[in-house]
């Protein structure tokens, strides 16, 4: 089983270096062009992979995070716009809006109940007495 370990390590190095080289920006690759690094990694897997890690890989980390839509490395809840600020005036505006919303819902409920009562009364008038 141990005799396969060098082969598995070499394949893992090849795959890692190949993917890393492909995803790297062409203008940030060092010493050779990106295409030559890809050729070197594929033709000489062990030497090319080690050379890529030592001399070709960009030194600065990528500017992107795993989730390109966010700048907080995948925690979008920290980027959501807040509806109100944290001050007392904002809390008062929120309470006032909630009161207006409650009043509107109460008015709609009263109108709905009035419509139902009117329908029931019309149905009672139209119903023949038995």
């Amino acid at each position: 089983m141990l005799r396969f370990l060098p082969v598995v390590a070499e394949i893992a190095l090849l795959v890692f270096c190949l993917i890393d080289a492909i995803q790297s920006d062409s203008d940030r690759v060092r010493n050779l062009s990106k295409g030559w690094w890809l050729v070197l990694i594929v033709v000489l897997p062990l030497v090319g992979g080690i050379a890529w890690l030592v001399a070709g890989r960009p030194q600065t980390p990528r500017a992107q995070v795993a989730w390109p839509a966010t700048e907080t490395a995948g925690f979008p809840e920290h980027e959501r716009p807040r509806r109100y600020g944290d001050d007392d005036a904002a809390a008062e505006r929120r309470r006032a809006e909630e009161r207006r919303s409650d009043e509107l819902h109460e008015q709609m409920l009263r109108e709905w109940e009035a419509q139902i009562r009117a329908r029931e009364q019309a149905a009672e008038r139209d119903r023949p007495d038995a």
Side-chain angles (χ1 to χ4, degrees):
M1 197 67 178
L2 288 175
R3 65 181 177 208
F4 295 119
L5 187 60
V7 174
V8 171
E10 185 176 345
I11 291 173
L13 180 68
L14 169 72
V15 170
F16 174 78
C17 291
L18 195 58
I19 291 173
D20 192 40
I22 289 171
Q23 289 182 343
S24 295
D25 292 332
S26 297
D27 56 338
R28 294 180 53 226
V29 174
R30 297 181 295 153
N31 297 324
L32 293 175
S33 68
K34 184 175 175 179
W36 283 111
W37 277 115
L38 292 172
V39 170
L40 186 65
I41 292 170
V42 171
V43 172
L44 302 171
L46 187 61
V47 175
I50 293 172
W52 165 255
L53 293 174
V54 173
R57 191 172 192 207
Q59 289 181 333
T60 57
R62 291 189 183 114
Q64 297 177 348
V65 292
W67 295 267
T70 65
E71 295 298 325
T72 57
F75 297 100
E77 60 270 13
H78 297 299
E79 293 184 356
R80 290 189 186 129
R82 303 282 186 232
R83 188 168 180 186
Y84 299 102
D86 294 334
D87 58 350
D88 292 334
E92 182 58 38
R93 285 192 306 268
R94 184 177 64 248
R95 285 192 291 272
E97 183 177 326
E98 288 172 355
R99 282 192 299 271
R100 281 192 303 270
S101 176
D102 288 344
E103 290 171 2
L104 176 64
H105 286 119
E106 288 293 328
Q107 178 184 359
M108 291 171 59
L109 183 61
R110 284 192 298 271
E111 290 173 1
W112 184 51
E113 288 174 344
Q115 290 174 357
I116 290 175
R117 267 191 248 106
R119 286 187 201 143
E120 288 175 350
Q121 290 174 355
E124 292 248 343
R125 282 192 307 253
D126 295 342
R127 187 178 71 171
D129 291 316

